[in-house]
Amino acid sequence: MIRHLSAGSAFLILLMVFSLNRISADEQPKSSAADVSVQMQSWEELQDWVASQKGKVVVVDVWSTFCLPCVREFPHFVEFYENHKDHVACASLNIDFYGGKGQQPEDNREKVLKFLKSRNATMHNIIAINPDEVVLQQIKTAAIPAAIIYDRQGKLHKVFNNDEDLYGPKGFNYEQHITPLVEKLLKE
């Protein structure tokens, strides 16, 4: 036997159904490891990607799985990306490939992808096909970690590195150094 619902009961049921179907921005599903991928690219291909991001500030984090400061700072890069992805294009550039005899850039794919998935790094992820020294020469830095910041016009604005101890014994970080600069560039 079917019972009739009062108008008040029907309203409450409809309200509950609509409430369950509505997801606020804070409850949106976060990116997951399944969304993580990595591409093999040359320095030149990375520069083409940067050029295609006109209108956005671009941050490229240069890192390696064997660099402890890189690994320690990487979660802050992921957090930065999640907080700024609507207005800032981010890429992680892994330089594990050193160009040794018999070594190929693809040899690092599984290890790098495992690391990226463990951090839910859903930004544009690249394994450099150029040896690490070639990439470091391009950004005029001696060692990693490094972060490259491009303005909205695609022009190189700044390379963060720890070559000269400008950022103290712990080096640069996203919270104190990169985020304020990017937010300033976004206002320009």
Side-chain angles (χ1 to χ4, degrees), residues 107-178:
D107 297 344
N108 299 309
R109 180 186 289 273
E110 186 176 324
K111 173 177 57 172
V112 170
L113 189 55
K114 182 179 178 181
F115 175 85
L116 292 169
K117 285 185 176 195
S118 75
R119 305 307 192 276
N120 288 331
T122 58
M123 71 282 299
H124 184 63
N125 296 301
I126 302 164
I127 295 174
I129 62 172
N130 307 96
D132 58 354
E133 288 299 319
V134 171
V135 174
L136 294 174
Q137 287 171 3
Q138 291 293 329
I139 60 174
K140 296 175 179 66
T141 192
I144 50 176
I148 312 164
I149 314 300
Y150 297 86
D151 65 20
R152 289 178 183 261
Q153 290 71 45
K155 181 181 171 203
L156 177 63
H157 186 81
K158 183 169 183 67
V159 176
F160 284 92
N161 60 45
N162 297 321
D163 292 355
E164 299 171 12
D165 292 327
L166 297 174
Y167 307 103
K170 292 186 178 180
F172 73 86
N173 63 57
Y174 278 84
E175 183 180 357
Q176 293 177 313
H177 306 105
I178 296 172

Side-chain angles (χ1 to χ4, degrees), residues 4-102:
H4 294 286
L5 298 175
S6 71
S9 297
F11 175 75
L12 285 175
I13 291 172
L14 284 173
L15 183 62
M16 287 175 32
V17 169
F18 285 114
S19 295
L20 290 174
N21 288 330
R22 187 172 181 193
I23 300 174
S24 72
D26 293 338
E27 296 169 333
Q28 288 291 337
K30 292 273 183 188
S31 302
S32 72
D35 299 326
V36 177
S37 64
V38 66
Q39 299 176 0
M40 311 299 287
Q41 289 186 334
S42 68
W43 176 257
E44 293 76 20
E45 289 170 315
L46 170 61
Q47 295 310 300
D48 290 343
W49 178 82
V50 169
S52 75
Q53 303 302 311
K54 282 221 178 173
K56 288 188 171 188
V57 173
V58 176
V59 177
V60 179
D61 190 90
V62 185
W63 66 284
S64 173
T65 58
F66 57 79
C67 166
L68 184 58
C70 300
V71 171
R72 192 172 41 237
E73 190 63 23
F74 200 85
H76 301 286
F77 173 54
V78 173
E79 181 181 9
F80 172 86
Y81 168 71
E82 289 295 331
N83 292 334
H84 294 84
K85 64 185 172 185
D86 292 338
H87 305 289
V88 179
C90 292
S92 77
L93 177 62
N94 175 274
I95 61 169
D96 277 8
F97 176 58
Y98 64 90
K101 186 174 182 175

